[in-house]
């Protein structure tokens, strides 16, 4: 029988294995990305982020 790894399991693993500095770096990256996606909706920035999302495999439409 195989167990399925859940998001909760992955978060727990990250808490155990990442240092405080690494967690802060991840938080800063997510905050910056959120800012760009939510507030920088100029066509050029929007199009480049749209293409980036597709490049990393995010389906947005």
């Amino acid at each position: 029988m195989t167990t399925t790894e859940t998001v909760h399991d992955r978060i727990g693993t990250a808490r155990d294995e990442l240092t405080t500095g690494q967690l802060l770096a991840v938080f800063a990256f997510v905050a910056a990305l959120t800012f760009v996606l939510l507030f920088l909706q100029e066509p050029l920035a929007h199009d480049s982020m749209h293409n980036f999302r597709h490049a990393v495999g995010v389906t947005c439409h």
Side-chain angles (χ1 to χ4, degrees):
M1 181 173 158
T2 61
T3 59
T4 304
E5 186 178 37
T6 65
V7 173
H8 188 267
D9 295 333
R10 291 181 183 185
I11 291 171
T13 301
R15 278 191 192 132
D16 295 338
E17 295 182 5
L18 295 177
T19 65
T20 302
Q22 289 171 322
L23 290 173
L24 288 173
V26 169
F27 177 76
F29 176 74
V30 170
L33 190 59
T34 300
F35 173 80
V36 168
L37 291 175
L38 291 178
F39 299 109
L40 208 68
Q41 291 296 317
E42 296 176 14
L44 182 60
H46 179 79
D47 289 344
S48 66
M49 288 306 299
H50 181 87
N51 293 336
F52 173 76
R53 287 190 299 257
H54 281 290
V56 296
V58 175
T59 304
C60 55
H61 50 77

